[in-house]
Amino acid sequence: MATEVKVPTLGESITEATLGAWLKQPGDPVAADEPIASLETDKVALDVPSPVAGVMGEQRVKEGDNVSVGAVIATIEAGGSAAATPPVADANPPGPGETPTLKGDETAPVAADAGGEESGESNLTLSPAVRRAVLENHVDPSKIKGTGKDGRVTKDDVLTAAKAQKAEAPAPSVAAPAPPSAPSSAPAAPPRSAAAGERREERVRMTRLRQTVARRLKEAQNTAAMLTTFNDVDMTAVMEARARYKDLFEKKHGIRLGFMAFFVKAAALAARDVPSVNASIDGDEIVYHDYLDVSVAVSAPQGLVVPVIRDAQALSFAEIETTIADFGNRAKAGTLTIEEMQGGTFTISNGGVFGSLLSTPIINPPQSAVLGMHRIEERPVVKGGQIVARPMMYLALSYDHRLIDGREAVTFLVRMKEALEDPTRLLIDL
């Protein structure tokens, strides 16, 4: 008896997804709760688990198809067979040097390397981004030790294996000259080689996540009256505080003290003085929040995702850093949930980790402001009448001018600058 596999509930207001990749093929053994397909939604990629143990049956949709919540995408056939049905060999045995053929559309199983370690089944369950990386870098995923959740292979694992494979590649050997052949009346064709200036193109369908990001960013530009204001911050005090307490902090809390906690706390302090930065427009009403839910951009295999730190104004430095580290790890493993990326009231984007000096970030509706952090670099500044070198960072606040006046935007950045240049303000609430 076959069990239907349906598209699970995807989250609030999300009714449709795109089938990114099949992780199991018909005939493959499937354990209960084992992922059989990967879905791409507007916000994240998530796996569809098998409701029962058995054998993968019919695939009712193709990769790239749109599917609705509750739609049947596959069936799981009953049976405890641990292996797929063996291929049927051709009636005519192959001759010496010939490759055996299979009947119909059957595929020969891949033999395990003799003496090699058996690869875990979870390592072969690949997300769309990992599958693409495997194909582009020509590596064998079964030989890669996964560092993701439950030992799954991540994109970083594939890239690391590709680098190691290139480093171990032997130098090309010189082929022996071919023996002379019988003369021919037709002139020999010159050897064909790739042109040095060959131009190539590749068309790749945009993922649902990228389509949604593109649409929402354009909607933000079309709807909001966006403006960006800038300031710079002397990071000397923050860097000295980190250097002085980082070892004690990590020993006590089990997490490194980063820059983001300082900025989140400073934003919470500034938003209390300038509440419009943490507000939003709903029709002809302004919604003010007495809490600060900070969306933080983190890297994931499919691109940047923006999980939310809830009630950031009430969290300690250790709680903020622990939450951010957890988001980063689960973003790489692809295990962030949709609920964790909904409902932010303010966004902080750290382009400095990629080397950005200055930018004008785009707000994420319905939010009304986004703070852009940038790289820290020593620049000459005047202090006490003397020109000195100080570690400086540019801050950029993009905001919706329909709600936030220029005076309020500048005041918000000044409050953040004061708190970061004198972190004691964060402790005594000034």
Side-chain angles (χ1 to χ4, degrees):
M1 180 177 177
T3 301
E4 294 181 337
V5 181
K6 299 181 179 180
V7 177
T9 301
L10 302 172
E12 183 182 355
S13 75
I14 300 179
T15 60
E16 191 179 61
T18 301
L19 197 140
W22 284 109
L23 307 180
K24 291 290 184 178
Q25 299 300 321
D28 289 348
V30 178
D33 296 324
E34 183 179 6
I36 64 167
S38 176
L39 297 179
E40 295 176 357
T41 71
D42 292 352
K43 296 180 179 293
V44 291
L46 69 161
D47 292 336
V48 178
S50 172
V52 296
V55 176
M56 184 69 181
E58 178 187 5
Q59 296 175 346
R60 297 191 178 179
V61 296
K62 299 177 181 178
E63 293 183 357
D65 286 354
N66 293 333
V67 292
S68 301
V69 172
V72 177
I73 61 172
T75 59
I76 303 297
E77 304 292 339
S81 176
T85 304
V88 181
D90 195 306
N92 298 319
E98 295 180 354
T99 303
T101 60
L102 303 176
K103 290 185 177 180
D105 296 330
E106 304 198 16
T107 306
V110 179
D113 290 340
E117 292 186 3
E118 185 176 350
S119 176
E121 178 110 5
S122 60
N123 288 354
L124 301 181
T125 303
L126 308 179
S127 70
V130 176
R131 285 176 180 267
R132 178 175 174 81
V134 166
L135 294 174
E136 290 177 345
N137 292 279
H138 307 290
V139 296
D140 183 355
S142 66
K143 296 181 180 179
I144 301 175
K145 183 177 180 180
T147 60
K149 183 180 179 181
D150 298 327
R152 292 182 65 178
V153 176
T154 67
K155 184 177 180 181
D156 289 341
D157 297 333
V158 175
L159 297 179
T160 300
K163 290 181 181 179
Q165 183 172 282
K166 290 180 181 178
E168 296 173 358
S173 58
V174 179
S181 56
S184 172
S185 58
R192 186 175 180 180
S193 59
E198 185 176 358
R199 291 150 54 91
R200 296 185 179 183
E201 291 183 351
E202 180 183 9
R203 290 182 180 268
V204 178
R205 182 176 179 177
M206 291 177 68
T207 64
R208 176 174 288 270
L209 175 61
R210 177 52 57 186
Q211 292 179 45
T212 301
V213 169
R215 185 183 70 252
R216 287 177 61 84
L217 292 180
K218 189 57 185 173
E219 286 175 355
Q221 287 185 321
N222 293 340
T223 303
M226 274 204 299
L227 185 63
T228 304
T229 188
F230 304 93
N231 212 322
D232 59 357
V233 178
D234 184 347
M235 295 293 291
T236 301
V238 171
M239 295 176 71
E240 288 178 349
R242 287 186 69 225
R244 183 180 305 169
Y245 299 113
K246 65 179 182 179
D247 293 336
L248 288 174
F249 187 90
E250 186 170 2
K251 183 177 180 180
K252 180 176 181 178
H253 301 292
I255 190 72
R256 293 181 60 189
L257 176 60
F259 287 116
M260 188 62 79
F262 288 92
F263 281 86
V264 171
K265 297 295 286 185
L269 194 67
R272 191 186 62 187
D273 292 342
V274 189
S276 59
V277 172
N278 190 41
S280 59
I281 295 177
D282 185 8
D284 58 357
E285 296 179 332
I286 299 174
V287 181
Y288 291 97
H289 310 285
D290 66 352
Y291 54 86
L292 182 72
D293 286 352
V294 180
S295 303
V296 289
V298 296
S299 295
Q302 69 270 28
L304 288 178
V305 293
V306 192
V308 180
I309 304 173
R310 310 286 178 187
D311 294 313
Q313 81 287 347
L315 299 181
S316 66
F317 277 68
E319 289 170 329
I320 293 172
E321 290 294 351
T322 300
T323 301
I324 293 173
D326 178 59
F327 284 158
N329 292 333
R330 291 194 293 121
K332 290 181 179 179
T335 58
L336 284 173
T337 65
I338 294 173
E339 290 74 15
E340 289 173 317
M341 287 183 281
Q342 292 179 328
T345 61
F346 180 74
T347 294
I348 298 179
S349 178
N350 186 5
V353 297
F354 304 110
S356 172
L357 176 64
L358 200 60
S359 67
T360 56
I362 300 177
I363 61 176
N364 180 25
Q367 298 175 21
S368 296
V370 53
L371 177 74
M373 298 168 55
H374 301 90
R375 76 168 185 254
I376 301 171
E377 65 174 8
E378 286 200 340
R379 292 199 296 272
V381 295
V382 178
K383 296 287 184 180
Q386 301 292 322
I387 299 177
V388 294
R390 290 294 177 90
M392 304 297 293
M393 175 193 286
Y394 286 118
L395 295 183
L397 182 73
S398 291
Y399 58 97
D400 189 345
H401 212 340
R402 298 177 302 165
L403 173 59
I404 304 169
D405 295 332
R407 174 184 61 83
E408 294 173 312
V410 172
T411 301
F412 180 86
L413 279 187
V414 170
R415 292 287 182 273
M416 288 203 63
K417 176 182 174 71
E418 292 171 346
L420 292 167
E421 292 185 344
D422 183 8
T424 306
R425 288 173 174 266
L426 299 176
L427 302 178
I428 60 178
D429 200 17
L430 282 178

